[in-house]
Coordinates of all heavy atoms in Angstrom, one line a residue:
V1 N 191.1 125.5 108.5 CA 189.9 124.6 108.6 C 189.9 123.9 109.9 O 188.9 123.8 110.7 CB 189.8 123.6 107.4 CG1 188.8 122.6 107.7 CG2 189.5 124.3 106.1
K2 N 191.1 123.3 110.3 CA 191.2 122.6 111.6 C 190.9 123.5 112.7 O 190.1 123.1 113.6 CB 192.6 122.0 111.7 CG 192.8 121.3 113.0 CD 194.3 120.8 113.1 CE 194.5 120.1 114.4 NZ 195.9 119.7 114.6
V3 N 191.5 124.7 112.8 CA 191.2 125.6 113.9 C 189.8 126.0 114.0 O 189.1 126.1 115.0 CB 192.2 126.8 113.9 CG1 191.8 127.8 114.9 CG2 193.6 126.3 114.0
S4 N 189.2 126.4 112.8 CA 187.9 126.9 112.7 C 186.9 125.8 113.1 O 185.9 126.0 113.8 CB 187.6 127.4 111.3 OG 186.3 128.0 111.3
V5 N 187.1 124.6 112.6 CA 186.2 123.5 112.9 C 186.2 123.1 114.4 O 185.1 122.9 115.0 CB 186.5 122.2 112.1 CG1 185.8 121.0 112.6 CG2 186.1 122.5 110.6
N6 N 187.4 123.1 115.0 CA 187.5 122.8 116.4 C 186.8 123.9 117.2 O 186.2 123.6 118.3 CB 189.0 122.7 116.8 CG 189.6 121.4 116.4 OD1 188.9 120.3 116.3 ND2 190.9 121.3 116.2
G7 N 186.9 125.1 116.8 CA 186.2 126.2 117.5 C 184.7 126.1 117.4 O 184.0 126.3 118.4
Q8 N 184.2 125.7 116.2 CA 182.7 125.6 116.0 C 182.1 124.4 116.7 O 181.0 124.5 117.2 CB 182.4 125.5 114.5 CG 182.7 126.8 113.7 CD 181.8 127.9 114.1 OE1 180.6 127.7 114.4 NE2 182.3 129.1 114.1
R9 N 182.9 123.4 116.9 CA 182.4 122.2 117.5 C 182.1 122.4 119.0 O 181.4 121.6 119.6 CB 183.4 121.0 117.4 CG 183.5 120.5 116.0 CD 184.6 119.5 115.8 NE 184.4 118.3 116.6 CZ 185.3 117.3 116.7 NH1 186.4 117.4 116.0 NH2 185.0 116.2 117.4
K10 N 182.6 123.5 119.6 CA 182.4 123.8 121.0 C 181.2 124.7 121.2 O 180.8 125.0 122.3 CB 183.6 124.5 121.6 CG 184.9 123.6 121.5 CD 186.1 124.4 122.0 CE 187.4 123.5 121.9 NZ 188.6 124.3 122.4
Q11 N 180.5 125.1 120.1 CA 179.4 126.0 120.2 C 178.1 125.3 120.6 O 178.0 124.1 120.5 CB 179.2 126.7 118.8 CG 180.3 127.5 118.3 CD 180.7 128.7 119.3 OE1 179.8 129.4 119.8 NE2 182.0 128.9 119.5
D12 N 177.2 126.1 121.2 CA 176.0 125.5 121.7 C 175.1 124.8 120.6 O 174.4 123.8 120.9 CB 175.1 126.5 122.4 CG 175.8 127.0 123.7 OD1 176.7 126.3 124.3 OD2 175.5 128.2 124.1
Y13 N 175.1 125.4 119.4 CA 174.2 124.8 118.4 C 174.6 123.4 118.0 O 173.8 122.6 117.5 CB 174.2 125.8 117.2 CG 175.5 125.7 116.3 CD1 175.6 124.8 115.3 CD2 176.5 126.6 116.5 CE1 176.7 124.7 114.5 CE2 177.6 126.6 115.7 CZ 177.8 125.6 114.7 OH 178.9 125.6 113.9
V14 N 175.9 123.1 118.2 CA 176.4 121.7 117.9 C 175.7 120.7 118.9 O 175.2 119.6 118.5 CB 177.9 121.6 117.9 CG1 178.4 120.2 117.7 CG2 178.5 122.5 116.8
R15 N 175.8 121.1 120.2 CA 175.1 120.2 121.2 C 173.6 120.1 120.9 O 173.0 119.0 121.1 CB 175.4 120.8 122.6 CG 176.9 120.6 123.0 CD 177.0 120.9 124.5 NE 176.8 122.3 124.8 CZ 177.8 123.2 124.7 NH1 179.0 122.9 124.5 NH2 177.5 124.5 125.0
T16 N 173.0 121.2 120.5 CA 171.6 121.2 120.2 C 171.3 120.2 119.0 O 170.3 119.5 119.0 CB 171.1 122.6 119.8 OG1 171.4 123.5 120.9 CG2 169.6 122.6 119.5
A17 N 172.2 120.3 118.0 CA 172.0 119.4 116.8 C 172.1 117.9 117.2 O 171.3 117.1 116.8 CB 173.0 119.8 115.7
Y18 N 173.1 117.6 118.1 CA 173.2 116.2 118.5 C 172.0 115.8 119.4 O 171.6 114.7 119.3 CB 174.5 116.1 119.3 CG 175.8 115.9 118.5 CD1 176.8 116.8 118.6 CD2 175.9 114.9 117.5 CE1 178.0 116.7 117.8 CE2 177.0 114.8 116.8 CZ 178.1 115.7 116.9 OH 179.2 115.5 116.1
S19 N 171.5 116.7 120.2 CA 170.4 116.4 121.0 C 169.1 116.1 120.2 O 168.2 115.5 120.7 CB 170.1 117.5 122.0 OG 169.7 118.7 121.3
K20 N 169.1 116.7 119.0 CA 167.9 116.4 118.1 C 168.0 115.1 117.4 O 167.1 114.7 116.6 CB 167.8 117.5 117.0 CG 167.4 118.9 117.6 CD 167.3 119.9 116.5 CE 166.8 121.3 117.0 NZ 166.7 122.3 115.9
G21 N 169.1 114.4 117.6 CA 169.3 113.1 117.0 C 170.0 113.1 115.6 O 170.0 112.0 115.0
L22 N 170.6 114.2 115.3 CA 171.3 114.3 114.0 C 172.6 113.5 114.1 O 173.3 113.4 115.1 CB 171.6 115.7 113.6 CG 170.5 116.6 113.3 CD1 170.9 118.0 112.9 CD2 169.6 116.0 112.1
G23 N 173.0 112.8 113.0 CA 174.2 112.0 113.0 C 175.4 112.9 112.9 O 175.4 114.1 112.7
K24 N 176.6 112.3 113.2 CA 177.9 113.0 113.3 C 178.2 113.6 111.9 O 178.6 114.8 111.9 CB 179.0 112.0 113.7 CG 180.3 112.7 113.8 CD 181.4 111.6 114.3 CE 182.7 112.3 114.4 NZ 183.8 111.3 114.8
N25 N 178.0 112.9 110.8 CA 178.4 113.5 109.5 C 177.5 114.6 109.2 O 177.9 115.6 108.6 CB 178.3 112.4 108.5 CG 179.4 111.4 108.6 OD1 180.5 111.7 109.1 ND2 179.1 110.2 108.1
K26 N 176.2 114.5 109.5 CA 175.3 115.6 109.2 C 175.6 116.9 110.0 O 175.6 118.0 109.4 CB 173.8 115.2 109.5 CG 173.2 114.3 108.4 CD 171.7 114.1 108.7 CE 171.1 113.3 107.5 NZ 169.6 113.1 107.8
V27 N 175.9 116.7 111.2 CA 176.3 117.8 112.1 C 177.6 118.5 111.5 O 177.7 119.7 111.5 CB 176.5 117.4 113.5 CG1 177.1 118.6 114.4 CG2 175.2 116.9 114.1
M28 N 178.6 117.6 111.2 CA 179.9 118.1 110.7 C 179.8 118.9 109.4 O 180.2 120.0 109.3 CB 180.8 117.0 110.6 CG 182.2 117.4 110.1 SD 183.1 118.5 111.1 CE 183.5 117.4 112.5
Y29 N 179.2 118.2 108.4 CA 179.2 118.8 107.1 C 178.0 119.8 106.8 O 178.2 120.6 105.9 CB 179.2 117.7 106.0 CG 180.5 116.9 106.1 CD1 180.5 115.6 106.7 CD2 181.6 117.4 105.5 CE1 181.7 114.9 106.7 CE2 182.8 116.6 105.5 CZ 182.8 115.4 106.2 OH 184.0 114.7 106.2
R30 N 176.9 119.7 107.5 CA 175.8 120.6 107.2 C 175.9 121.8 108.1 O 175.4 122.9 107.6 CB 174.5 119.8 107.4 CG 173.3 120.7 107.1 CD 172.0 119.9 107.3 NE 171.9 118.8 106.4 CZ 170.9 117.9 106.3 NH1 169.8 118.1 107.2 NH2 170.8 116.9 105.5
H31 N 176.4 121.7 109.3 CA 176.4 122.8 110.2 C 177.8 123.3 110.5 O 178.1 124.5 110.3 CB 175.7 122.4 111.5 CG 174.2 122.0 111.3 ND1 173.3 122.9 111.1 CD2 173.6 120.8 111.3 CE1 172.1 122.3 110.9 NE2 172.3 121.0 111.0
V32 N 178.6 122.5 111.1 CA 180.0 122.9 111.5 C 180.8 123.4 110.4 O 181.4 124.5 110.4 CB 180.7 121.8 112.3 CG1 182.1 122.2 112.6 CG2 179.9 121.4 113.5
L33 N 180.9 122.6 109.3 CA 181.8 123.0 108.2 C 181.3 124.3 107.5 O 182.1 125.2 107.2 CB 181.8 121.9 107.1 CG 182.7 122.1 105.9 CD1 184.2 122.4 106.4 CD2 182.7 121.0 105.0
R34 N 180.0 124.5 107.4 CA 179.5 125.7 106.7 C 179.8 126.9 107.5 O 180.2 127.9 107.0 CB 178.0 125.6 106.5 CG 177.4 126.8 105.9 CD 175.9 126.6 105.5 NE 175.4 127.7 104.8 CZ 174.2 127.7 104.3 NH1 173.4 126.7 104.4 NH2 173.8 128.8 103.6
N35 N 179.7 126.8 108.8 CA 180.1 128.0 109.7 C 181.6 128.2 109.8 O 182.0 129.2 110.3 CB 179.4 127.8 111.1 CG 177.9 127.9 111.1 OD1 177.4 128.7 110.3 ND2 177.3 127.2 111.9
S36 N 182.3 127.2 109.4 CA 183.8 127.3 109.5 C 184.4 127.8 108.2 O 185.6 128.0 108.1 CB 184.4 125.9 109.8 OG 183.9 125.4 111.0
L37 N 183.6 128.1 107.2 CA 184.2 128.4 105.8 C 184.6 129.8 105.6 O 185.2 130.1 104.7 CB 183.1 128.0 104.8 CG 183.0 126.5 104.5 CD1 181.9 126.3 103.4 CD2 184.3 125.9 104.0
I38 N 184.1 130.7 106.5 CA 184.4 132.2 106.4 C 186.0 132.4 106.2 O 186.4 133.0 105.3 CB 183.8 133.0 107.5 CG1 182.3 132.9 107.4 CG2 184.3 134.5 107.3 CD1 181.7 133.5 106.1
P39 N 186.8 131.9 107.2 CA 188.2 132.2 107.0 C 188.8 131.5 105.8 O 189.7 131.9 105.2 CB 188.8 131.6 108.3 CG 187.8 130.7 108.9 CD 186.5 131.3 108.5
V40 N 188.2 130.3 105.5 CA 188.7 129.5 104.3 C 188.4 130.3 103.0 O 189.2 130.3 102.1 CB 188.0 128.1 104.3 CG1 188.5 127.4 103.0 CG2 188.4 127.4 105.5
I41 N 187.2 130.9 102.9 CA 186.9 131.7 101.7 C 187.8 132.9 101.6 O 188.2 133.2 100.4 CB 185.4 132.2 101.9 CG1 184.4 131.0 101.8 CG2 185.1 133.2 100.7 CD1 183.0 131.4 102.1
T42 N 188.2 133.5 102.7 CA 189.2 134.6 102.6 C 190.5 134.1 102.0 O 191.1 134.8 101.2 CB 189.4 135.1 104.0 OG1 188.2 135.6 104.6 CG2 190.4 136.3 104.0
I43 N 191.0 132.9 102.5 CA 192.2 132.4 102.0 C 192.1 132.1 100.5 O 193.0 132.3 99.7 CB 192.6 131.1 102.8 CG1 192.9 131.5 104.2 CG2 193.8 130.4 102.1 CD1 194.1 132.4 104.4
F44 N 191.0 131.5 100.1 CA 190.7 131.2 98.7 C 190.7 132.5 97.8 O 191.3 132.4 96.7 CB 189.4 130.5 98.5 CG 189.6 129.0 98.4 CD1 189.8 128.2 99.6 CD2 189.5 128.3 97.2 CE1 190.0 126.9 99.5 CE2 189.6 126.9 97.2 CZ 189.9 126.2 98.3
G45 N 190.1 133.5 98.3 CA 190.2 134.8 97.6 C 191.6 135.3 97.4 O 191.9 135.7 96.3

């Protein structure tokens, strides 16, 4: 999760979300975390 989240936070869509005025928690849990879950789902399986 740590590696995946750090990787997603550097993506362009994160900067776009912040530029739209979204708060830090919304960006983190609605966008970044969701896109970071693929490797986590593999581990869970």
Side-chain angles (χ1 to χ4, degrees):
V1 169
K2 179 184 175 182
V3 172
S4 185
V5 167
N6 282 332
Q8 290 295 323
R9 289 171 66 183
K10 299 176 183 178
Q11 300 297 319
D12 292 336
Y13 74 87
V14 175
R15 289 192 291 270
T16 302
Y18 279 123
S19 67
K20 290 181 179 180
L22 294 180
K24 181 179 179 180
N25 289 335
K26 283 189 176 181
V27 173
M28 176 62 72
Y29 292 101
R30 183 177 298 179
H31 299 285
V32 174
L33 182 59
R34 182 171 183 176
N35 290 328
S36 304
L37 286 180
I38 294 300
V40 178
I41 293 171
T42 304
I43 295 298
F44 262 76

